[in-house]
Amino acid sequence: MKVTTTMERTETVTPEVTRSSPRKVVIVAAVLAVLVAAPVVLGAYPVTTMTRMLAFAVLVLSVDLLTGVAGLPTLGQAAYFGAGAYTAVLIGLHITSDAMVQVVAGLAAGLIAAAATGWVAVRARGIVFLMLTLAIGESVHQVADTWSAVGGSNGLAGMPPISLFGAPLLASGFVYWWVLAVAIVLIAAVALVVRSPYGRTLRGVRDNEARMRALGYRPALARYGVFCLAGAVAGAGGALWVAQARFVSPGDLGFEVAALALLSVVIGGSGSLWGPCLGAALVLLVRDNLSASIDGHGPLLLGLLFVAVVFVMPRGLAGVRRRKGRGKERSS
Amino acid sequence: MTGHLVSVLNGLAMGSLLFAIALGLSLVFGMMDVLNLAHGAVYLVGAYVAVALVADGAGLAAFVLAVLLAAVLGALLGGVLAGLTRATPHHLDQALLTLGVSLVVAELLSIFFGNDVHSIAAPAPVAGSVVVFGETYPVYRLLVIGFGVVLAVAVYVLVERSVLGSVIRATVADRGMVSALGINTGRVLVGVFAAGAGLAAVGGVLAGPILGAQPGLDEKVLLLALVVVVIGGLGSVRGALLGAVLIGQVQALGTSLLPEYASFLIFAAMGLVLLLRPAGLLPAGGAVRA
């Protein structure tokens, strides 16, 4: 996941963007090697789990882009994840099983959905923004749950296996490598945006909006841009999610998914890129494996986890080694 | 045509319940700047209190007892939530905290009451129906509408005409100034939090005979309350009332006219209002940030 650190060598002082060093390059290469080699070593089930983690990590990345970089805590990102997932399944069912077409369509669906709903949300900040995204996300969830054209509460099943260059990807390992490749491209793209002048603008707006406005920037427009971008990333993540599951239901874009994504960001440390990806893996592990072992009372455990994280680890994993300084979120 | 008039009545009953539920959410949000994501779970506590005490068509006494018990439980939960959220200043942390409490409460309820859909009978004396607009209509829903009117008037008198109300309104507008006047705003805030949560739990009991109780209802109710608050304007009592009546009507008419698109309509209503008036229809002066 740490591929991002190799991107930038000329970065000057921005506390939350870590600079690359030979040691980091080695770590990134090692992590990548392990990720690529995983299907060769592991059985089908762990590989399936890791594929889910990667797709979920892309969603978490989009939440982090909003929450960590732009200071816009969101509980609605699952809606755009779901838009991408539903689009990919519909395309898989009715048009083509080409994985690239599905990912691009999922990305476009997330972008369009975010562009259509985002303007209402980005005019607010902080907790009001959180509330609006929650309302948008839940509304979209209800629409998916009741609209018979997309299967209603049953969802859409029966999507054929995805294919690349005409060859269906039948083994879980191949699906995994495809998802890994796309996830790396998306993470790299987000890292580039975060380190670009636009990324600086976003952090500037997050930290001191009045000053940015006085400097001639348009904060609402900058926020709208990042909202659309995050929607596109989440949409692509949704397409990756169904590339493996080949099934989508309203549960995939529900409140719980959005909440877990936000929890992953907070656990991982908002603003860092590797932290939330790690957080995503942890949260999904807890939800899918640990909860099964305690009689399916996963939500109970998760609820306690939410409370514990706030009190025990307010800065997340990445915060453990980050210098003190930046507050997580400011009231506006 | 009369069918639509019945829908309007249904919308008013729904609006009454939504007003009770959304009011606390709105005031806590407006005053304390806390988005209480456990509000739906508090509602669900009330609904399951009704399941435990009145599910078998018990009498009026059991129903009243359920309302009182729900009010107490809700207020206690509200107090706990107020304490928890005051311990952490960050908005995001507060949202996660209340979300965590919400998950725990909802899961405990489903452990005790199972995952079934529970229907709750209206208390025996008011379980019948009367003829309204040429159609039979449940008496209980008319009473709920009456409750909404009484609640609206009571809250109006309390907030607009009493000393406590002026303290509450002033705290919404400028907490620092009220504090400087020597009033313990912390106590006011916890009190409003507890009262709001108590009202949500009472709403759960009253809504029981109409909506029943089942896992997942907490999310739906939280969403409706959020939309009401967003449409009405944060921290505003009149806004909560207007938003509740509006959403109640949109939901009832949408369900009877365009059942397939009812959930779109609520979303569309919220989007439309926010595009035209980003702060809601009747925002409370000081609580709204640009």
Side-chain angles (χ1 to χ4, degrees):
Chain A
M1 296 301 155
K2 288 184 211 156
V3 65
T4 57
T5 48
T6 59
M7 293 288 167
E8 180 67 289
R9 284 163 203 289
T10 54
E11 182 70 50
T12 49
V13 187
T14 43
E16 71 221 69
V17 178
T18 44
R19 277 159 291 177
S20 55
S21 67
R23 195 168 65 94
K24 278 182 182 149
V25 174
V26 170
I27 294 175
V28 168
V31 168
L32 271 181
V34 167
L35 282 175
V36 170
V40 181
V41 187
L42 298 170
Y45 180 71
V47 171
T48 308
T49 305
M50 286 176 73
T51 314
R52 285 159 57 79
M53 283 176 182
L54 284 171
F56 186 66
V58 172
L59 169 64
V60 170
L61 191 70
S62 83
V63 174
D64 186 39
L65 186 58
L66 284 176
T67 304
V69 178
L72 297 167
T74 171
L75 273 173
Q77 212 57 17
Y80 311 118
F81 183 73
Y86 269 97
T87 303
V89 170
L90 283 172
I91 285 181
L93 280 172
H94 301 298
I95 299 173
T96 171
S97 62
D98 191 307
M100 286 190 227
V101 174
Q102 288 181 14
V103 163
V104 171
L107 188 136
L111 178 69
I112 291 167
T117 52
W119 189 246
V120 167
V122 295
R123 287 191 293 178
R125 248 132 301 170
I127 198 73
V128 181
F129 178 83
L130 185 82
M131 175 184 194
L132 289 177
T133 55
L134 174 59
I136 290 170
E138 274 294 282
S139 304
V140 173
H141 174 234
Q142 300 245 318
V143 168
D145 201 40
T146 49
W147 196 16
S148 57
V150 293
S153 57
N154 294 325
L156 292 169
M159 174 179 150
I162 56 167
S163 62
L164 266 184
F165 307 113
L169 302 184
L170 293 170
S172 61
F174 289 104
V175 178
Y176 168 83
W177 276 320
W178 162 246
V179 171
L180 177 65
V182 178
I184 287 175
V185 169
L186 290 171
I187 291 170
V190 169
L192 279 177
V193 170
V194 168
R195 285 140 198 253
S196 70
Y198 178 58
R200 281 168 215 265
T201 309
L202 289 174
R203 289 196 292 276
V205 170
R206 177 194 71 197
D207 291 338
N208 194 335
E209 186 173 338
R211 185 175 296 171
M212 291 303 281
R213 189 178 284 122
L215 286 170
Y217 291 93
R218 295 184 60 186
L221 214 55
R223 279 196 297 266
Y224 186 57
V226 76
F227 196 88
C228 294
L229 187 69
V233 172
L240 294 181
W241 182 259
V242 296
Q244 191 220 352
R246 285 155 53 191
F247 166 71
V248 64
S249 76
D252 292 329
L253 56 124
F255 180 43
E256 194 195 314
V257 176
L260 287 177
L262 186 59
L263 177 69
S264 303
V265 169
V266 173
I267 284 186
S270 64
S272 144
L273 288 180
W274 63 269
C277 288
L278 205 58
L282 274 178
V283 164
L284 219 57
L285 261 186
V286 169
R287 186 184 79 161
D288 293 353
N289 295 27
L290 222 55
S291 70
S293 63
I294 55 163
D295 285 350
H297 295 309
L300 192 65
L301 194 71
L302 277 175
L304 295 173
L305 188 65
F306 276 60
V307 176
V309 163
V310 169
F311 282 114
V312 179
M313 221 169 47
R315 273 164 200 279
L317 291 173
V320 172
R321 34 172 311 197
R322 198 191 304 157
R323 273 179 304 169
K324 172 175 169 294
R326 193 172 65 82
K328 226 177 355 198
E329 182 208 349
R330 264 146 248 223
S331 54
S332 42
Chain B
M1 190 59 216
T2 52
H4 297 166
L5 289 174
V6 168
S7 291
V8 170
L9 279 184
N10 278 336
L12 282 176
M14 192 66 200
S16 294
L17 295 169
L18 283 177
F19 176 57
I21 299 159
L23 185 64
L25 191 69
S26 179
L27 283 182
V28 167
F29 199 114
M31 293 173 73
M32 303 178 76
D33 218 12
V34 170
L35 176 53
N36 178 16
L37 295 176
H39 207 67
V42 176
Y43 164 92
L44 205 55
V45 167
Y48 278 109
V49 166
V51 168
L53 294 182
V54 294
D56 303 324
L60 207 54
F63 197 77
V64 171
L65 186 67
V67 167
L68 293 177
L69 182 61
V72 172
L73 284 178
L76 281 177
L77 257 173
V80 169
L81 286 165
L84 279 178
T85 49
R86 268 155 63 89
T88 54
H90 289 300
H91 287 140
L92 193 53
D93 290 347
Q94 292 172 341
L96 286 175
L97 264 182
T98 53
L99 190 59
V101 172
S102 167
L103 285 172
V104 170
V105 168
E107 192 63 19
L108 288 178
L109 287 173
S110 81
I111 288 173
F112 285 119
F113 292 94
N115 287 321
D116 307 330
V117 178
H118 294 267
S119 61
I120 298 160
V126 291
S129 49
V130 289
V131 176
V132 183
F133 304 129
E135 299 204 7
T136 54
Y137 195 78
V139 177
Y140 181 76
R141 292 193 184 203
L142 293 177
L143 286 178
V144 168
I145 296 173
F147 160 77
V149 174
V150 171
L151 179 68
V153 171
V155 170
Y156 175 79
V157 170
L158 180 73
V159 171
E160 301 284 335
R161 294 276 179 268
S162 75
V163 176
L164 180 63
S166 60
V167 170
I168 290 175
R169 275 181 292 132
T171 310
V172 174
D174 190 340
R175 197 195 304 187
M177 187 57 85
V178 175
S179 190
L181 290 172
I183 292 168
N184 186 342
T185 51
R187 215 175 286 166
V188 175
L189 295 172
V190 174
V192 168
F193 209 136
L199 214 47
V202 169
V205 176
L206 295 180
I210 298 174
L211 299 176
Q214 67 188 89
L217 194 57
D218 50 340
E219 267 177 47
K220 286 186 180 142
V221 167
L222 177 66
L223 169 69
L224 285 175
L226 276 178
V227 172
V228 164
V229 169
V230 166
I231 286 186
L234 306 173
S236 150
V237 174
R238 273 175 293 177
L241 183 60
L242 182 62
V245 170
L246 256 172
I247 289 302
Q249 290 304 334
V250 168
Q251 216 201 12
L253 289 175
T255 310
S256 77
L257 296 177
L258 301 160
E260 179 86 327
Y261 301 100
S263 47
F264 288 95
L265 287 177
I266 290 180
F267 187 32
M270 181 181 75
L272 192 68
V273 168
L274 283 179
L275 279 179
L276 300 176
R277 301 196 54 151
L281 292 172
L282 296 170
V288 178
R289 289 151 298 274

